[in-house]
Amino acid sequence: MLKIRFKRSGRKKQPFYKIVVMDVRTKRDGKALEELGFYNPITKTLNINCERTIIRLKNGVQPTEVVKNLLRKSSIF
């Protein structure tokens, strides 16, 4: 099963998250199938590729709760 979820990057105490499509069984920082955007919680910066995200959602990929909330804020979901 595929999910749209966060992949953490950045330094210690300075997180930076990539919004990616991954299999449920892979590790948080494992190999992603596709990168859809990024989110910086420190500056509240959000950048999402809307077209690819909508295509993935129509194909049955489920977002996690946190990603779902971000998609609602950006009026995609």
Side-chain angles (χ1 to χ4, degrees), residues 14-46:
Q14 292 185 342
F16 183 84
Y17 298 100
K18 295 179 182 177
I19 301 170
V20 295
V21 176
M22 298 177 86
D23 193 308
V24 175
R25 295 168 288 180
T26 58
K27 297 178 182 178
R28 178 193 69 184
D29 297 333
K31 186 177 179 183
L33 297 175
E34 182 179 5
E35 186 176 328
L36 299 175
F38 65 86
Y39 174 63
N40 187 345
I42 296 171
T43 61
K44 307 287 192 246
T45 307
L46 176 64

Side-chain angles (χ1 to χ4, degrees):
M1 177 180 195
L2 297 177
K3 284 209 173 225
I4 299 175
R5 65 185 196 184
F6 281 150
K7 182 176 181 178
R8 190 183 194 280
S9 31
R11 293 186 289 169
K12 185 165 93 174
K13 298 189 180 183
Q14 292 185 342
F16 183 84
Y17 298 100
K18 295 179 182 177
I19 301 170
V20 295
V21 176
M22 298 177 86
D23 193 308
V24 175
R25 295 168 288 180
T26 58
K27 297 178 182 178
R28 178 193 69 184
D29 297 333
K31 186 177 179 183
L33 297 175
E34 182 179 5
E35 186 176 328
L36 299 175
F38 65 86
Y39 174 63
N40 187 345
I42 296 171
T43 61
K44 307 287 192 246
T45 307
L46 176 64
N47 186 0
I48 297 177
N49 185 345
C50 298
E51 296 171 6
R52 292 299 305 162
T53 304
I54 292 170
I55 290 170
R56 285 293 189 168
L57 289 172
K58 286 182 180 177
N59 287 335
V61 178
Q62 297 294 316
T64 59
E65 289 298 318
V66 178
V67 174
K68 189 185 294 186
N69 291 337
L70 287 175
L71 292 176
R72 283 187 185 136
K73 286 183 183 178
S74 65
S75 69
I76 293 177
F77 195 68

